[in-house]
Amino acid sequence: MKITLRGAKPPIWRRVLVPSDLALDVLHEVIQIAMGWTDSHLHHFLANGRVYGIPDDKFGFEFDLKDEAEVKLMDLLRKEKDSMRYDYDFGDGWEHQILVEKVLPFDETQTLPLCIKGKRACPPEDCGGIWGYAQLLRTLADPSDPEHQDMLEWVGGQIDPEAFDLDDTNEALSALRPTGWPASRGPDHNADHEGTGRA
């Protein structure tokens, strides 16, 4: 699958291999780790006109929210080019496209989840969405900007918007595997976003 942060220019994306029988609540964790978010805000999935998330009466949602823990990835995305949306932090409004690029036969030797490629760093949390992130980068790049020093201290130093560490990402994803889905317990097929076969 390819996870793309909508509106980011240049694009920010991750390509991951996941089992098709993955529950959406675990897919949420995969997306958080692969993208580089900190899971500090609310989220939900949108597919086929339905909303999937964590039901909580205290928020008083007006729409019909289906429990994401009761839905598997293969219930929503079954073939190549199928897609859905994942929204994170409703204040900043980070929208992600989740696209199936390729469906592969299950491979017992493949340990999942696995990130096989990605581009550009995840924006800092609470930076104001796509527009706020663009403004933050401009401010950090201009020492003469009156907000330069404050923003530099806020993010903890200069950030590299081009940075993405595949090894670090997969090390973090490995924490999900013992309680998730080792290859020996995998589904009938995996979703891959490269389009040219298994990485």
Side-chain angles (χ1 to χ4, degrees):
M1 299 179 358
K2 187 174 183 181
I3 306 163
T4 303
L5 184 61
R6 288 181 168 183
K9 295 180 181 181
I12 299 172
W13 58 269
R14 308 290 184 258
R15 182 168 283 132
V16 297
L17 293 168
V18 295
S20 63
D21 65 351
L22 195 64
L24 293 188
D25 60 334
V26 185
L27 178 60
H28 156 70
E29 296 183 57
V30 172
I31 295 169
Q32 287 284 313
I33 293 172
M35 290 302 296
W37 300 118
T38 62
D39 202 5
S40 303
H41 301 278
L42 297 174
H43 72 277
H44 61 216
F45 295 88
L46 297 97
N48 305 318
R50 295 290 305 273
V51 182
Y52 305 85
I54 303 174
D56 192 333
D57 294 338
K58 72 181 181 181
F59 291 112
F61 288 131
E62 297 181 359
F63 51 77
D64 181 18
L65 184 74
K66 186 169 178 60
D67 189 348
E68 63 183 28
E70 299 177 356
V71 181
K72 294 182 179 180
L73 179 60
M74 63 185 177
D75 296 330
L76 304 176
L77 307 181
R78 303 192 60 86
K79 61 185 185 301
E80 294 174 15
K81 300 190 183 302
D82 279 356
S83 67
M84 64 181 175
R85 201 172 93 191
Y86 170 80
D87 291 351
Y88 172 63
D89 184 354
F90 304 148
D92 277 5
W94 302 110
E95 297 181 1
H96 307 71
Q97 181 192 45
I98 313 299
L99 173 69
V100 176
E101 289 188 334
K102 192 162 185 70
V103 177
L104 300 171
F106 178 64
D107 182 352
E108 291 183 347
T109 67
Q110 186 74 69
T111 303
L112 306 176
L114 183 69
C115 184
I116 59 176
K117 196 170 184 180
K119 290 291 184 181
R120 303 187 79 233
C122 183
E125 297 273 0
D126 302 314
C127 69
I130 290 294
W131 181 89
Y133 181 47
Q135 180 61 45
L136 173 64
L137 293 180
R138 287 192 293 269
T139 299
L140 292 176
D142 182 6
S144 66
D145 189 299
E147 295 185 0
H148 176 81
Q149 190 59 39
D150 287 343
M151 291 297 99
L152 196 63
E153 293 177 3
W154 182 72
V155 297
Q158 281 290 355
I159 59 176
D160 180 2
E162 301 299 322
F164 171 67
D165 193 308
L166 185 62
D167 290 337
D168 284 352
T169 299
N170 279 314
E171 182 177 353
L173 284 172
S174 69
L176 294 176
R177 294 170 188 157
T179 56
W181 356 264
S184 61
R185 291 180 54 245
D188 294 332
H189 57 269
N190 306 322
D192 171 26
H193 310 94
E194 183 62 57
T196 57
R198 185 171 306 281

